[in-house]
Amino acid sequence: MDVLYIGDHKLQANEYFVGADSFKVFHQKVRDYEPLLDTLRDDADVSVDYLDGPDTMTDFPRSVEELAQYDTLVISDLSRGTLEPHFHPDTMPGPNLLRIIREFVENGGGLVYCGGWMTFQGYQGVGNWHGTPVADALPVEIRPIYDDRVERPEGAEATITDRDHPVLASVEESLPVVYGYNQVAGLREGATELATVDGHPLLAVSEYGEGRVLTYTSDPGIKWGLAMVDWDTYDDFWLDAVEWVSPE
């Protein structure tokens, strides 16, 4: 399987105060522990390319044909604006990357879309994925609100609702506790809910055109996924998820 993974990044910048003035200095990209990326890289049957936020702005495939070199696209904790970098040169006129993703799925590509502070609507609406072409392809409805995050620092139990689905083939008991998630409006018509948290969709799948899509409304890494990253079934679960959405 050939996978393109975008998102899950941070940038380090310092702010200095000198008298009445202040200024910020960009320092470096921050490489956190990204277990899903490590899982994909460690599997002999998966070839994965990774783009962080700044690299996504400049290096994301500029056509459906370029993106179709991959079987599956993984989007995790990445804002919509990263794929609409109107402040960069050569972007206007230019390709609509969100439409390219939707058409990629329509034509048979796979999409794994994970939650976080920068996906769905996210932190103070910065994710802002509601109403986008990508949102059209998801199995869940994104709520058109300012902030859809639900923080659960005490932990919230996940409930499996369709244990027979191939995505859950490696899961013997339940999915791990989550410490936060993006609350969506519900399922789209034709979607299948595989697990819930607090009665809301946590894991859902659907077909869109010729392609398949999986959404996980929590984070596959820390902090919301603090229990998941220590889960013995982590690798098998995510590899099953990516395999299910990938074209046969």
Side-chain angles (χ1 to χ4, degrees):
M1 291 181 289
D2 294 314
V3 177
L4 177 60
Y5 187 128
I6 61 174
D8 285 328
H9 76 288
K10 298 177 181 68
L11 300 177
Q12 177 184 343
N14 288 345
E15 185 168 8
Y16 297 90
F17 296 87
V18 182
D21 297 321
S22 67
F23 60 95
K24 292 182 179 180
V25 179
F26 170 79
H27 277 270
Q28 62 184 357
K29 299 176 183 179
V30 178
R31 175 71 172 92
D32 278 347
Y33 169 51
E34 300 300 347
L36 178 52
L37 180 59
D38 292 341
T39 291
L40 297 174
R41 282 176 168 165
D42 290 344
D43 190 273
D45 294 326
V46 177
S47 174
V48 59
D49 290 334
Y50 173 67
L51 298 175
D52 60 24
D55 288 341
T56 297
M57 291 182 184
T58 56
D59 298 339
F60 189 84
R62 313 298 285 179
S63 68
V64 177
E65 291 74 22
E66 286 184 38
L67 186 53
Q69 296 176 20
Y70 298 96
D71 298 307
T72 291
L73 173 64
V74 177
I75 301 174
S76 183
D77 211 359
L78 184 82
S79 71
R80 159 198 186 162
T82 310
L83 289 159
E84 292 181 323
H86 60 276
F87 45 83
H88 275 279
D90 303 322
T91 58
M92 291 185 181
N96 186 320
L97 303 184
L98 301 177
R99 290 182 180 273
I100 285 172
I101 293 172
R102 183 178 64 184
E103 189 172 340
F104 164 75
V105 178
E106 283 181 320
N107 292 348
L111 174 61
V112 174
Y113 184 94
C114 298
W117 278 36
M118 295 295 153
T119 33
F120 296 95
Q121 286 299 87
Y123 169 72
Q124 296 183 355
V126 173
N128 197 27
W129 286 89
H130 173 77
T132 65
V134 175
D136 293 342
L138 300 182
V140 295
E141 295 273 5
I142 298 177
R143 296 193 297 161
I145 62 172
Y146 177 64
D147 195 320
D148 62 8
R149 296 169 304 142
V150 178
E151 299 288 349
R152 291 297 305 271
E154 75 281 22
E157 297 288 338
T159 301
I160 291 178
T161 54
D162 188 347
R163 187 170 294 278
D164 294 330
H165 196 277
V167 168
L168 296 172
S170 301
V171 180
E172 294 183 359
E173 295 182 2
S174 186
L175 296 173
V177 164
V178 301
Y179 292 94
Y181 59 94
N182 300 94
Q183 184 178 329
V184 297
L187 297 177
R188 286 187 179 274
E189 184 177 354
T192 300
E193 184 180 74
L194 305 186
T196 63
V197 57
D198 294 337
H200 304 290
L202 173 64
L203 181 66
V205 296
S206 64
E207 295 183 358
Y208 186 79
E210 299 297 321
R212 289 177 170 180
V213 184
L214 177 145
T215 57
Y216 179 70
T217 61
S218 188
D219 197 325
I222 54 175
K223 297 281 191 169
W224 284 355
L226 194 60
M228 174 164 272
V229 301
D230 291 329
W231 186 33
D232 290 340
T233 313
Y234 186 97
D235 291 347
D236 290 338
F237 168 73
W238 283 109
L239 290 171
D240 285 344
V242 171
E243 181 178 4
W244 184 81
V245 300
S246 296
E248 297 180 358

